[in-house]
Amino acid sequence: MASSTTTFSVPTTASKMSMQELEELRKQLGSVTTGSTLQQSLELTRKMLRDKQNKKNSGQHLPVFPAWVYERPTLIGDFLVGSGLSTDTTLPIGALPLASQESAVVEDLLYVLVGVDGRYITAQPLTGRQNRTFLVDPNLDLSIRELVNRILPVAASYSTVTRFIEEKSSFEYGQVNHALAAAMRTLVKEYLILVTQLEQLHRQGLLSLQKLWFYIQPAMRTVDILASLATSVDKGECVGGSTLSLLHDRSFNYTGDSQAQELCLYLTKAASAPYFEVLEKWIYRGIIHDPYSEFMVEEHELRKEKIQEDYNDKYWDQRYTVVQQQIPSFLQKMAGKILSTGKYLNVVRECGHDVTCPVAKEIIYTLKERAYVEQIEKAFNYASKVLLDFLMEEKELVAHLRSIKRYFLMDQGDFFVHFMDLTEEELRKPVEDITPTRLEALLELALRMSTANTDPFKDDLKIDLMPHDLITQLLRVLAIETKQEKAMTHADPTELTLSGLEAFSFDYIVKWPLSLIINRKALTRYQMLFRHMFYCKHVERQLCSVWISNKTAKQYSLHSAKWFAGAFTLRQRMLNFVQNIQYYMMFEVMEPTWHILEKNLKSASNIDDVLGHHTSFLDNCLKDCMLTNPELLKVFSKLMSVCVMFTNCMQHLAEPVDTPQMASGFEATINNFDKNFSAHLLDLLARLSVYSTSDCEHGMASVISRLDFNGFYTERLERLSAERSQKTAPQIPVPRGPPTPAPAPRVAVTAQ
């Protein structure tokens, strides 16, 4: 009999061991090594989880079991391979009568069913996470052995479940797995009560092998399902939401098997309780407490102060993010609203307001997803309203946006007249020579002298001298999140020395939580619009000053004054161009788009709608003001440069043109300005025409009609196009008749 057992026993005699004994010893030593390897693997897994959780919890170490819990295998309740009961018997079991064999095997099975080796049935050592197998005494009667092999899968499943419960009860595996293990432990207790009752029957001599097989049938199905779930959770390394997804999907798969489905529903309901506690705190109060990284929403350490400093800051998008693998499958459709609900409440909470959803109700797991949807919808609607009312009423979001529009979109006319009159001399200097404090003082003075003095938020307006011109700023913005971003970031601010007018911009102080809407990205776009319009206004003022200074030409003789006619005509064309561009941007782009924004803000239902409408407003303004197309902006900048150089030239003409030499030089200079201005304007009109047709930007047609109200430039464009066509067309000899010239392409112009 000794040769057929797996008891760990070392021979004490000096006799030579048989080959069978050597093999048996090797197996037992191997089992010890395998068990040790498995324990090391589990300890490594626990350490990885522990490190991850401690890192997330900012050094607040989570509780752990003492080492002796894992070093004492007798606490587990599973088989101890190599230390089973003694199998030394006076007679081999095969020599016993059939009734005695059955009685002995029934007693062994009662031991094996609770994780203890019997005399004739012993557990085999595990290799990794495989199912438990058993070695049955080969001398046992064949009929009895057949029935024993049918019952042993129950013991194997029990072994799997017991190991799972002990392993997942460790703190590192999270509260969902803790709750699942606790629910399984409750069912295992019921199973152990059944085995105890069977043992009582056996002691009374009323339990045969057939009766044992009959009584164990219901428990066999239950323990098998538990073992299957335990194996799946282990295999998938499931934690938190992924465990709930597995349990939920398994519950659906058992549709039609009411007993199995009821069992899975019980386990899922128990396992989901701690997950729903975290969920309820999040959607009802905006608090996230997830020490074991099980919840679908993950918190990141980001400073909300950077939202006003960094253009690329993504506080709103990245402070809280969804972890896909932790979304239970029954909450997949509502994940977005769950994220938003907690975020909304969290913003209000960070402002010092304690918020709790008045329609809060305990969430309990059910197969009817509608129950979750209704509760989450109610919480979402409450959170949306609370934050929206908080921003709109208490924090006066719309009033702040109107204040920004007043200054950045040049809506306050008298303020800009005062401000530009006061700062014109200072802003003409190179940007390095400007004193920012002096500009701040002049800004303060202009605000107090104009109707802007009634603006309650005027003190939030600040001066900002940019390190690069508008085109460079646009290119830097367009390069964000592209391959060129790094090169643009490390490039020199600008090759040319900027004047104060070219570098000047406003900035605005925005406090939390308004900085969610008016963040650095939005302020940068406002600055680009402002710099564009501010420089146009400066050029218009310069052209008007030329008109005033050139009134002195009336005192000259007719011979001298006639040479100014060309200059006056060019000045008027330039003024017409600048004023029409300004009118288009202010009254055909910004004002209608602003009214749409205000209308959309009144109908917005949550903060994400507000963000979307505000971003859309700025995007449309930038696009229609030619600030998203570097090529258009470059041509426009050249036109502005020609206008500024022309005004500078005219300002220096202080003496009448009396001599023919001076007259011819003056006429050549004016003709040169006229040629450059016309060439750039024709180039701009041609590009606008292409842009308005190819990119379906029909708003650009309004610019063309304003700048070319009488078709003057269209005619010149057609003439230039015809000349280019003739130059590029190949000269092919035609045998009969004169060659027919190709029709010149026309510029799409909307009549005014």
Side-chain angles (χ1 to χ4, degrees):
M1 220 22 234
S3 63
S4 62
T5 65
T6 58
T7 305
F8 185 85
S9 57
V10 180
T12 56
T13 63
S15 60
K16 195 173 182 180
M17 289 188 290
S18 66
M19 290 297 294
Q20 189 173 0
E21 288 174 330
L22 282 170
E23 183 63 27
E24 189 67 27
L25 180 60
R26 190 180 298 113
K27 285 183 180 178
Q28 291 174 7
L29 289 172
S31 71
V32 174
T33 305
T34 303
S36 176
T37 304
L38 181 60
Q39 286 300 322
Q40 289 175 359
S41 174
L42 292 175
E43 176 56 33
L44 183 61
T45 302
R46 287 193 295 268
K47 186 177 184 303
M48 289 173 61
L49 290 171
R50 201 158 50 239
D51 291 344
K52 178 183 176 184
Q53 291 155 7
N54 288 334
K55 183 178 179 182
K56 180 189 173 184
N57 289 282
S58 302
Q60 297 179 5
H61 295 287
L62 299 172
V64 293
F65 283 132
W68 58 263
V69 173
Y70 307 108
E71 293 170 358
R72 299 183 181 182
T74 52
L75 296 175
I76 296 176
D78 193 18
F79 294 94
L80 292 176
V81 179
S83 58
L85 295 174
S86 173
T87 57
D88 293 334
T89 53
T90 53
L91 290 172
I93 193 169
L96 297 175
L98 198 60
S100 299
Q101 287 189 34
E102 183 177 356
S103 177
V105 166
V106 167
E107 184 177 359
D108 263 21
L109 283 173
L110 291 174
Y111 275 116
V112 171
L113 288 173
V114 295
V116 180
D117 281 337
R119 294 175 182 272
Y120 311 106
I121 306 170
T122 53
Q124 293 287 80
L126 290 171
T127 303
R129 291 184 178 274
Q130 67 177 22
N131 291 333
R132 180 75 71 181
T133 57
F134 298 90
L135 182 64
V136 182
D137 195 315
N139 297 318
L140 196 61
D141 184 79
L142 186 61
S143 60
I144 295 176
R145 199 188 328 159
E146 182 64 29
L147 201 50
V148 167
N149 287 333
R150 292 185 184 180
I151 298 173
L152 284 178
V154 182
S157 296
Y158 169 79
S159 174
T160 300
V161 174
T162 302
R163 280 182 280 116
F164 176 83
I165 291 172
E166 293 301 322
E167 180 186 340
K168 300 305 177 187
S169 294
S170 296
F171 289 104
E172 292 85 355
Y173 290 97
Q175 294 176 328
V176 172
N177 283 337
H178 296 172
L180 176 61
M184 285 187 171
R185 185 178 278 112
T186 302
L187 295 173
V188 168
K189 285 180 181 178
E190 297 293 328
Y191 165 81
L192 293 174
I193 291 172
L194 170 64
V195 176
T196 304
Q197 292 170 342
L198 292 175
E199 185 181 4
Q200 182 67 20
L201 287 176
H202 177 62
R203 288 182 177 180
Q204 295 172 0
L206 301 175
L207 185 65
S208 65
L209 195 56
Q210 286 290 347
K211 283 186 177 181
L212 176 59
W213 170 243
F214 173 76
Y215 287 133
I216 207 72
Q217 287 294 315
M220 176 180 280
R221 176 69 172 146
T222 300
V223 179
D224 180 58
I225 292 172
L226 294 180
S228 174
L229 288 171
T231 303
S232 298
V233 172
D234 268 341
K235 187 177 180 180
E237 298 181 351
C238 299
V239 176
S242 54
T243 298
L244 295 181
S245 293
L246 188 147
L247 293 171
H248 176 75
D249 295 342
R250 193 65 64 91
S251 299
F252 258 112
N253 292 341
Y254 282 129
T255 302
D257 186 343
S258 58
Q259 183 183 356
Q261 189 174 57
E262 186 179 354
L263 175 62
C264 283
L265 287 175
Y266 166 75
L267 293 173
T268 312
K269 188 175 180 180
S272 63
Y275 192 92
F276 282 147
E277 285 182 13
V278 181
L279 176 63
E280 287 167 16
K281 278 187 179 180
W282 176 246
I283 65 172
Y284 293 151
R285 301 183 62 195
I287 297 173
I288 184 168
H289 179 66
D290 180 29
Y292 298 103
S293 304
E294 302 173 278
F295 192 48
M296 68 170 75
V297 177
E298 185 177 17
E299 183 178 9
H300 303 277
E301 290 296 327
L302 294 175
R303 291 192 305 112
K304 59 178 176 284
E305 292 78 11
K306 288 191 67 179
I307 203 168
Q308 198 192 353
E309 303 168 2
D310 186 3
Y311 183 91
N312 291 324
D313 187 68
K314 297 179 180 178
Y315 178 91
W316 182 247
D317 297 325
Q318 293 183 356
R319 172 70 192 276
Y320 296 101
T321 56
V322 170
V323 183
Q324 285 297 328
Q325 62 267 27
Q326 296 295 6
I327 303 176
S329 52
F330 51 87
L331 293 177
Q332 184 72 47
K333 295 178 182 177
M334 302 300 294
K337 285 198 171 179
I338 289 171
L339 174 66
S340 298
T341 303
K343 282 169 67 176
Y344 296 164
L345 295 177
N346 187 263
V347 170
V348 181
R349 179 172 292 280
E350 288 196 3
C351 295
H353 293 252
D354 189 16
V355 286
T356 303
C357 182
V359 293
K361 184 180 176 183
E362 184 182 6
I363 302 176
I364 301 174
Y365 174 78
T366 173
L367 283 175
K368 298 177 182 177
E369 292 186 12
R370 187 64 199 166
Y372 310 115
V373 173
E374 289 176 357
Q375 277 304 109
I376 294 167
E377 285 282 1
K378 289 178 183 177
F380 175 77
N381 292 334
Y382 169 76
S384 301
K385 186 176 186 305
V386 165
L387 180 57
L388 200 59
D389 291 347
F390 180 68
L391 288 176
M392 292 292 190
E393 296 172 12
E394 186 171 336
K395 295 300 180 181
E396 301 178 283
L397 172 63
V398 175
H400 275 89
L401 289 174
R402 285 175 182 156
S403 177
I404 289 174
K405 174 177 181 279
R406 186 174 290 120
Y407 305 116
F408 284 83
L409 305 187
M410 302 185 71
D411 195 37
Q412 194 78 38
D414 65 323
F415 160 71
F416 278 101
V417 171
H418 284 299
F419 180 73
M420 297 185 83
D421 285 343
L422 291 170
T423 60
E424 188 169 19
E425 182 181 349
E426 186 74 15
L427 290 177
R428 287 180 182 275
K429 300 177 183 177
V431 70
E432 294 86 359
D433 299 336
I434 294 177
T435 308
T437 52
R438 175 170 169 75
L439 281 181
E440 292 282 359
L442 294 174
L443 171 63
E444 181 76 13
L445 183 61
L447 287 170
R448 304 301 179 200
M449 290 172 58
S450 65
T451 54
N453 193 36
T454 59
D455 181 11
F457 310 116
K458 61 181 180 294
D459 292 333
D460 293 332
L461 189 67
K462 300 297 175 188
I463 296 293
D464 191 10
L465 295 174
M466 308 296 286
H468 35 251
D469 59 12
L470 180 58
I471 296 178
T472 307
Q473 185 180 19
L474 172 62
L475 292 174
R476 287 167 70 96
V477 170
L478 294 178
I480 289 173
E481 296 181 355
T482 65
K483 295 179 180 178
Q484 291 80 25
E485 181 177 9
K486 188 175 181 181
M488 290 297 297
T489 304
H490 293 91
D492 293 333
T494 181
E495 294 179 359
L496 303 175
T497 302
L498 294 179
S499 67
L501 288 160
E502 294 170 314
F504 179 77
S505 182
F506 284 139
D507 201 0
Y508 201 82
I509 298 173
V510 188
K511 297 178 182 178
W512 176 265
L514 291 179
S515 54
L516 284 173
I517 309 297
I518 312 169
N519 50 31
R520 177 47 54 188
K521 182 176 287 188
L523 283 173
T524 300
R525 296 177 181 186
Y526 276 118
Q527 285 181 330
M528 290 171 66
L529 288 166
F530 171 77
R531 296 179 72 185
H532 192 45
M533 296 178 63
F534 184 76
Y535 200 72
C536 286
K537 177 61 68 175
H538 163 68
V539 173
E540 181 194 10
R541 285 169 59 89
Q542 292 297 100
L543 289 168
C544 289
S545 66
V546 168
W547 177 81
I548 294 171
S549 63
N550 287 162
K551 288 296 182 182
T552 56
K554 291 181 179 180
Q555 67 185 2
Y556 302 151
S557 63
L558 183 62
H559 174 75
S560 300
K562 69 177 181 178
W563 300 111
F564 284 94
F568 294 164
T569 304
L570 178 58
R571 182 208 63 221
Q572 195 58 37
R573 283 172 54 204
M574 289 179 173
L575 193 59
N576 176 71
F577 164 72
V578 174
Q579 288 177 338
N580 275 289
I581 283 289
Q582 285 186 95
Y583 181 90
Y584 161 74
M585 290 191 294
M586 295 184 71
F587 295 101
E588 295 189 15
V589 174
M590 294 178 188
E591 211 51 46
T593 314
W594 172 259
H595 284 296
I596 293 172
L597 172 64
E598 283 199 324
K599 181 181 176 182
N600 289 337
L601 290 180
K602 289 178 182 177
S603 61
S605 59
N606 57 65
I607 195 66
D608 284 300
D609 288 347
V610 174
L611 266 169
H613 293 320
H614 187 233
T615 303
S616 178
F617 161 74
L618 289 171
D619 286 345
N620 289 335
C621 287
L622 287 169
K623 179 184 66 178
D624 290 339
C625 291
M626 301 178 284
L627 286 173
T628 56
N629 189 318
E631 297 303 319
L632 281 178
L633 187 59
K634 285 178 181 177
V635 177
F636 184 83
S637 298
K638 290 176 182 177
L639 275 166
M640 292 290 101
S641 298
V642 171
C643 293
V644 170
M645 287 189 287
F646 171 77
T647 58
N648 291 337
C649 177
M650 293 298 292
Q651 294 287 0
H652 289 112
L653 292 174
E655 297 180 0
V657 183
D658 290 327
T659 64
Q661 292 82 5
M662 292 178 64
S664 61
F666 175 73
E667 185 177 12
T669 302
I670 297 302
N671 287 338
N672 192 34
F673 277 121
D674 192 333
K675 181 180 177 182
N676 286 334
F677 177 77
S678 298
H680 291 316
L681 184 55
L682 288 172
D683 187 17
L684 179 65
L685 289 171
R687 290 176 185 273
L688 286 174
S689 178
V690 173
Y691 189 54
S692 63
T693 53
S694 63
D695 294 350
C696 299
E697 298 299 336
H698 303 300
M700 294 298 178
S702 176
V703 188
I704 301 173
S705 64
R706 287 194 169 280
L707 298 178
D708 190 31
F709 62 94
N710 60 358
F712 174 75
Y713 293 110
T714 302
E715 183 181 346
R716 294 186 68 171
L717 275 174
E718 289 177 350
R719 195 185 313 137
L720 284 173
S721 180
E723 290 174 0
R724 289 171 186 164
S725 299
Q726 289 177 359
K727 288 179 181 178
T728 56
Q731 301 297 325
I732 303 175
V734 181
R736 294 182 182 178
T740 304
R746 295 184 61 84
V747 177
V749 176
T750 304
Q752 189 176 8

